[in-house]
Amino acid sequence: AEAQHIHDYGGEEADRQLLDPLFNAYAALARARDARKPLEIITADLDVSLGPDGHVTNVHPQPHLEVHRLIEAYMIAANVAAADTMAVSNLPSMYRVHDQPDPEKVEALRQFLHSLGYRLAKGVKLRPHHFNSILRRAVGTPHAEISNQVVLRAQSQASYSPVNTGHFGLALTGYVHFTSPIRRYADLLVHRVLITALKLGGGGFADSDAITLTETARHISMTERRAIAAERDTTARYLSAFLSGKEGSHFSARISGIGRAGAFVTFLDTGADALVPLRTFRDDYYRINEAHHCIVGERTARTYRLGDAVEVELLEATGATGGLVAAIIGGGKIDKTAHKRSRSTRRGPPRSL
């Protein structure tokens, strides 16, 4: 934040002499990024503040400043340089790969975007810029956040592999994880390869590493996903503990998921996710239409759709498990078209929320 303030408003001459060249070089990297058109999904990370007693004192989305993008650009440049060096060395290595989206996920995304009035190109080989055009159209609309979420969900998971198949999201033909300080085992393997490729001395890539590289890639991809799940679970527990004792309070939220259990909402102020069970709505009989991402009232045609802004009441907050349960108390729209579609495809009796 201090570096961003100096860049925006000025500072000591010594600080400017340090920061100005960094931002000038970043501008060149940004132009190269814009030319290759990588995927530009915007997500908000949460900042959880703890007090001296270990209890959560505040939760808020982290700001994404230009200085953060500068650091990301330099990290990507370092990773690409490492990948290029390894490619010409002909040594086995560990690449960070990201495949194209699964066609079934893309078709489901296409149908949802169509319900919002957006059209995703069909009959062409999709590139990141096709998704970016949708995200740009959504900027400044109520659909901006959910559009980023559903586009992200449609993407394949990145993983590690000894076979370089490129990185779809970053629009790069070769990419590795090579950061300083070393914080992943994949980084360590890349450092070892570079030591050997550049003849920098001992501690390089061993023949035993090459023999087990495929299994190693599988293992560290799995442990990465397990670590991400653990991080999400920890954040959910922090959020639930923060909201514990606030049962009965009302919050502004947005519907972030529709499933057989009901709806999922994300609180706008904290980013906490809560389940809205079917049993919590008593004003009508409701049907879940997973294909069209909505819940529709049988009598009233009141419809709650993925991405809708709603008001909710917090019913339960269980810090030990990270579970939050809420009830929607405001929002939704009368949608005769969704009601007709729901009736034409219904199976079995209506379900009460």
Side-chain angles (χ1 to χ4, degrees), residues 100-143:
Q100 290 191 351
D102 179 86
E104 291 186 6
K105 288 185 177 181
V106 170
E107 185 56 35
L109 171 65
R110 183 178 284 112
Q111 292 180 16
F112 173 68
L113 292 175
H114 181 72
S115 71
L116 299 181
Y118 303 140
R119 293 188 179 276
L120 182 62
K122 194 171 185 178
V124 299
K125 187 175 182 178
L126 289 176
R127 300 292 186 187
H129 69 84
H130 291 112
F131 297 102
N132 291 342
S133 65
I134 299 293
L135 299 179
R136 282 194 294 270
R137 287 187 59 192
V139 171
T141 73
H143 306 135

Side-chain angles (χ1 to χ4, degrees), residues 46 59-61 239 242-243 251 266-273 324:
L46 295 177
V59 179
H60 57 84
L239 289 169
F242 180 65
L243 293 170
F251 299 90
T266 300
F267 294 4
L268 299 185
D269 57 347
T270 63
D273 294 318
L324 297 174

Side-chain angles (χ1 to χ4, degrees), residues 7 19-38 66 69-70 72-74 76-77:
H7 175 67
L19 289 177
D20 286 351
L22 287 175
F23 274 94
N24 290 337
Y26 162 66
L29 292 173
R31 288 193 295 271
R33 178 200 63 208
D34 293 342
R36 72 173 192 271
K37 300 178 181 178
E66 187 178 10
R69 292 190 288 271
L70 177 148
E72 291 170 1
Y74 280 114
I76 290 173

